[in-house]
């Protein structure tokens, strides 16, 4: 017994000395199963402690000893980090908008409103900054992963020296989770072949329920639990299951399970719904609620004025804030629209508003879940409205299919869109609204998502509550806050330091600044501690410094994505200067009066750009979607499959755009005949399918749900073995022209021939092919069709193949530029996707 007592005394003394030296908190008897300890956090995972028991030859003479369980510091809060998608300053009612957002109201009324919260102007760059505390280029996300290029600031890979907030909290004893949108897994690492280190579960988030990519069909999403694809919507009537509710249900279940299993363990939830990114998919109930309110009947000009007056009345913008004139040369005024245009656009915006209101309602349920487990006071809720300004990627007219925009069709005629009026927002559309509404929803600022030099693209708002700490309820904070400031704020709130080393890798410094100082009423008017911040997105850039904002003049509206890129975006710019201390809404350019300040801030921007991996700066947009990247099929020209397979994402499957290819299927038809899907990629809104329909072989191209071209055999296949072939000859130079600032090689014509047992049965020439992308949230499937089908008139997924598939071969013959082609491209004018010569970078309002 003396040996046992001595062992416990030594262990206790050892732990107590560590505790004193490193401010650790120890509970329970050291070595006992219930003992806990905090860690100093410098090294993650924490080193295993030295065994503190006694080992003799016999167990009865030995003393067991358990390493203490690692826990966060006492009173570390639960953290609910919410970020919505594509929502500008004027969207939520909490900040003067007309769309009801009672959940955001609740957080604001129980805590603080913030009106100077900044994003990066684009989705996954903001999210990379949010979870790492580093600038988006530092974290490898200068653009979205789907546009990644082979440079450190743009490769869409979060390096190992930038551990996420999930990883830091996990190793300090938190339960960590991520719900909704994951736009930080590289598109070339999103398949079941992995690797999974860049998935949420590989970045410190123990539990993930959501989708991978920029957006998702909310009715039939490409949904994962951890790294396993799931289909909870299968078998349910259309319109009865929606991800907005389903992810709230799953988050509530997670919070309750974690608390019920271990009530003392704090919970971290990153909650990132797809709303209000396109497609706008609310339930019919919410569409009716909003439609019945008649919020938008007077049009977008009146809406903008109404939001602006609300903002001044609420005090969320200064009373002397000015509103810039409506951009008539970019967007029509409401009174200039036809009756059909007004009818269509009101439908578009009501569905968007319903989506926003529905999303906020479900967020409110998740917030309530923490109350229901008795954690109201000690839960830090950070609710950020928007990862960038409102999206204008629907173009001036909106669209029933956002995939069309990404293939260059960004102004579909109103009469074409009216065919989708009654199903707008349902599973039959991948819809987006007119940019006129987007401009209004960014009130009091100008411009949109993508525009990193304009406050309409980067100035968000936020509400934060933490009843145990924040007592200045309902107050406004006007300090400069950037999304990189969230990580250090959470760490300060939890009493956890940023690690020096993670998995043996020295960590890059956190680049954000904690805004926890603003939680105290005494600091309500304290100067901003974050004093300098650069912005850059696709060649548009800005530099903030102590209230000054140096900005590049907008030279491209977001829907103008298919022209030539500015070849020198650092210098080939008109620079504007604003004093945000007196000009809240960035309306008065004072560059001419302050030339020295302009030069000083430009030098500062260049220094920041060098420091944070912004160079080489690239102003291209659509061209980067089709640029080569480490797709696991890269370098391969032949693909062979011998058994069914589903769920391979677009970023990891053979690319059949802008190239010649041959698909050959060796099948065996049973005595009773056969039907079903042989091969498909994409879905209802863009893609292709090779299938048997009532026994007849069919190859079909779905051209963004506007046109379907079908090759079909003349008769059903007889029982026995058959060889089916689809051969496509592409008449174009291919994606290689993009490297020369020319889109002349993509989307060109081509001729396809369907063959049965070596005999050509039909040849059709396509005047235009898809230049950029298929429906990205659908997959490459063999033997059946997951999610939506490429032609609803022919079949309903999963449409399994009832013939035996012996072998499927895809051979790709990509165009190669000849020396003569290169010489012509180097000397030619830049060209658009349709081959139209373009001699200048298009400019926006001057």
């Amino acid at each position: 017994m003396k040996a046992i007592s001595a062992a416990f005394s030594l262990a206790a003394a050892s732990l107590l000395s560590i505790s004193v030296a490193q401010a650790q908190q120890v509970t329970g008897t050291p070595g006992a199963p219930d003992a806990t300890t905090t860690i100093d956090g410098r090294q993650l995972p924490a080193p295993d402690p030295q065994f503190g028991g006694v080992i003799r030859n016999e167990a009865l003479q030995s003393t067991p000893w358990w390493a203490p369980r690692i826990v966060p510091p006492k009173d570390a809060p639960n953290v609910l980090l919410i970020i919505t998608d594509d929502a500008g300053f004027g969207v939520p009612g909490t900040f003067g908008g007309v769309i009801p957002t009672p959940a955001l109201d609740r957080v604001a009324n129980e805590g603080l409103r913030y009106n100077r919260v900044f994003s990066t102007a684009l989705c996954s760059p903001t999210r990379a900054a949010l979870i790492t505390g580093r600038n988006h280029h530092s974290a490898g996300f200068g653009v979205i992963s789907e546009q990644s290029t082979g440079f450190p600031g743009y490769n869409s890979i979060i390096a190992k020296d930038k551990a996420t907030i999930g990883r830091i909290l996990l190793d300090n004893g938190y339960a960590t989770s991520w719900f909704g949108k994951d736009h930080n897994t590289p598109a070339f690492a999103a398949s079941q072949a992995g690797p999974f280190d860049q998935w949420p579960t590989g970045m410190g988030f123990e539990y993930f329920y959501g989708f991978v990519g920029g957006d998702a069909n909310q009715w039939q999403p490409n949904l994962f639990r951890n790294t396993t694809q799931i289909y909870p919507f299968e078998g349910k009537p259309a319109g009865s299951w929606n991800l907005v509710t389903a992810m709230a249900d799953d988050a509530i279940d997670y919070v309750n399970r974690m608390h019920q299993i271990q009530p003392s363990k704090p919970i971290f939830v990153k909650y990132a719904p797809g709303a209000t990114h396109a497609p706008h998919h609310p339930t019919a109930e919410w569409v009716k609620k909003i439609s019945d309110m008649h919020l938008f009947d007077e049009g977008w000009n009146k809406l903008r004025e109404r939001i602006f007056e609300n903002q001044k009345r609420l005090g969320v913008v200064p009373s002397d804030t000015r509103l810039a004139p409506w951009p008539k040369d970019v967007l029509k005024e409401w009174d200039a629209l036809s009756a059909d245009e007004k009818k269509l656009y009101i439908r578009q915006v009501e569905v968007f508003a319903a989506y926003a209101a529905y999303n906020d309602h479900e967020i409110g349920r998740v917030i309530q879940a923490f109350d229901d487990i008795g954690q109201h006071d000690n839960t830090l809720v950070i609710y950020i409205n928007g990862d960038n300004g409102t999206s204008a990627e629907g173009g001036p007219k909106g669209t029933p299919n956002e995939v069309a925009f990404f293939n260059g069709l960004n102004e579909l005629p109103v009469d074409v869109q009216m065919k989708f009026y009654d199903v707008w927002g349902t599973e039959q559309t991948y819809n987006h609204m007119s940019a006129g509404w987007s401009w209004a929803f960014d009130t009091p600022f100008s411009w949109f998502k993508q525009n990193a030099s304009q406050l309409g693209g980067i100035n968000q708002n936020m509400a934060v509550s933490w009843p145990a700490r924040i007592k200045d309820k309902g107050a406004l904070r006007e300090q400069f806050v950037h999304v990189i400031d969230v990580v250090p704020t959470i760490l300060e709130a939890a009493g956890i330091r940023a690690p020096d080393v993670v998995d043996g890798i020295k960590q890059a410094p956190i680049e954000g600044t904690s805004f926890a100082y603003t939680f105290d009423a005494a600091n309500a008017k304290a100067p901003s501690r974050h004093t300098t911040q650069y912005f850059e997105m696709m060649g548009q850039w800005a530099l903030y410094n102590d209230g000054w904002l140096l900005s590049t003049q907008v030279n491209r509206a977001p829907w103008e994505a298919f022209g030539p890129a500015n070849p020198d975006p650092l210098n080939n710019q008109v620079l504007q200067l604003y004093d945000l201390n007196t000009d809240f809404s960035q309306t008065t350019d004072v560059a001419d009066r302050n030339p020295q300040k302009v030069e000083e801030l430009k030098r500062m921007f260049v220094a920041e750009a060098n420091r944070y991996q912004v160079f080489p700066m690239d102003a291209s947009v659509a061209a980067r979607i089709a640029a080569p990247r480490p797709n696991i099929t890269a370098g391969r020209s032949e693909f062979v499959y011998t058994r069914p397979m589903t769920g391979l994402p677009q970023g990891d499957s053979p690319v059949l755009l802008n190239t010649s290819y041959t698909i050959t299927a060796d099948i065996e038809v049973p005595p009773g005949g056969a039907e079903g899907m042989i091969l498909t990629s994409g879905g209802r809104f863009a893609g292709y399918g090779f299938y048997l329909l009532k026994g007849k072989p069919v190859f079909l191209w779905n051209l963004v749900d506007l046109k379907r071209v079908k090759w079909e055999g003349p008769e059903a296949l007889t029982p026995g073995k058959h060889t089916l072939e689809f051969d496509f000859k592409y008449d174009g130079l291919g994606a290689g022209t993009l490297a020369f600032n020319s889109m002349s090689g993509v989307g060109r014509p081509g001729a396809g021939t369907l063959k049965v047992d070596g005999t050509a049965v039909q040849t059709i020439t396509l005047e235009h092919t898809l230049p950029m992308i298929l429906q990205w949230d659908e997959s490459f499937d063999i033997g059946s069709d997951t999610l939506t089908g490429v032609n609803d008139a022919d079949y309903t997924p999963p449409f399994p193949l009832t013939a035996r598939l012996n072998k499927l071969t895809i051979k790709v013959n990509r165009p190669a530029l000849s020396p003569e082609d290169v010489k012509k491209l180097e000397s030619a004018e830049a060209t658009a996707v349709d081959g139209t010569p373009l001699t200048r970078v298009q400019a926006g309002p001057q």
Side-chain angles (χ1 to χ4, degrees), residues 116 320 322 455 543-551 576-591 593-594 597 601:
R116 280 299 197 200
D320 61 353
R322 295 177 292 279
L455 297 185
L543 190 284
Y544 171 88
N545 179 250
D546 282 333
W548 290 100
L549 184 71
L550 180 70
S551 305
Q576 301 170 323
L577 182 67
Y578 301 91
D579 181 0
L580 299 186
N581 293 310
T582 59
D583 180 15
F584 183 85
S585 54
Q586 191 187 14
T587 56
T588 305
D589 179 9
V590 296
R593 285 177 272 161
N594 298 274
K597 193 69 177 177
L601 293 180

Side-chain angles (χ1 to χ4, degrees), residues 86 276-280 348 352 390-395 397-402 417 424 430-435 438 449:
D86 285 7
T276 48
H277 196 293
H280 305 150
Q348 291 175 355
F352 170 85
T390 314
S391 171
E393 289 158 359
K397 297 181 179 180
T399 179
N401 182 5
E402 190 195 22
Q417 295 196 56
W424 203 273
Y430 215 88
N431 51 306
H432 205 321
M433 65 184 174
S434 166
S438 305
K449 169 187 178 180

Side-chain angles (χ1 to χ4, degrees), residues 484-502:
I484 62 173
D485 299 337
V486 171
V487 165
T489 302
I490 292 172
L491 294 179
E492 181 177 343
I496 293 171
R497 58 162 292 149
D500 298 328
V501 176
V502 176

Side-chain angles (χ1 to χ4, degrees), residues 351-370:
V351 170
F352 170 85
Y355 197 27
Y358 171 36
N359 183 51
D360 179 82
H361 170 79
E362 296 298 329
I363 288 171
R365 294 177 55 226
V366 178
I367 295 171
Q368 183 62 38
F370 284 92

Side-chain angles (χ1 to χ4, degrees), residues 588-806:
T588 305
D589 179 9
V590 296
D592 290 346
R593 285 177 272 161
N594 298 274
Q596 291 183 329
K597 193 69 177 177
V598 170
E599 289 303 313
E600 173 195 343
L601 293 180
K602 182 178 180 181
R603 288 193 299 270
M604 189 177 293
F605 172 81
V606 172
E608 295 290 283
N610 277 307
R611 180 180 180 186
Y612 297 119
Q613 304 186 151
V614 176
F615 296 126
M617 201 183 299
D618 187 347
S620 63
V621 186
R624 277 193 272 185
I625 294 176
R629 54 185 56 90
N631 181 307
I632 60 177
T633 68
R636 296 173 60 189
S637 59
E638 184 172 347
F639 307 86
V640 178
Y641 308 93
T642 58
R643 59 185 298 158
M645 178 185 71
T646 61
L648 189 63
Q650 301 296 329
D652 287 315
S653 59
V655 178
L656 302 188
L657 301 183
N658 308 310
T659 186
S660 298
Y661 56 89
T662 302
I663 304 171
T664 305
D666 292 328
I667 65 172
E668 188 170 348
V669 176
E675 67 172 6
M677 184 60 64
I678 299 170
L679 167 68
T680 183
S681 192
R684 179 178 291 132
F685 304 103
Y688 62 84
F690 197 5
Y691 51 94
L692 301 181
L693 181 64
K694 297 180 181 178
K696 295 181 181 181
V698 171
F699 194 92
L700 181 139
W701 263 108
N702 174 352
L703 302 177
V704 294
D705 200 28
L706 298 176
K707 181 180 181 181
R708 287 171 172 80
V709 181
K710 181 190 289 189
W711 293 256
E712 187 171 12
E715 55 190 23
L717 298 178
T718 59
K721 294 183 178 181
H722 293 277
T723 299
L724 307 179
E725 181 180 302
F726 183 76
D727 181 68
F728 190 82
K729 295 293 189 292
Y730 181 68
D731 183 18
L733 295 178
T737 65
L738 299 175
F740 298 89
N741 206 15
S742 171
M743 304 190 77
S744 62
V746 301
R748 310 306 293 165
T753 299
L754 178 65
K755 299 178 182 179
V756 178
D757 297 324
T759 300
V761 297
Q762 190 173 21
T763 298
I764 300 175
T765 296
L766 297 180
E767 294 182 4
H768 300 283
T769 56
L770 295 182
M772 294 295 161
I773 198 168
L774 305 184
Q775 186 180 343
W776 46 83
D777 65 339
E778 296 268 353
S779 55
F780 177 94
D781 299 328
I782 297 169
S784 65
D785 189 357
T786 57
L787 306 184
T788 65
V790 292
N791 191 15
D792 293 333
D794 281 354
Y795 68 92
T796 300
F799 199 42
L801 180 64
T802 57
R804 175 185 175 86
L805 177 65
N806 295 318

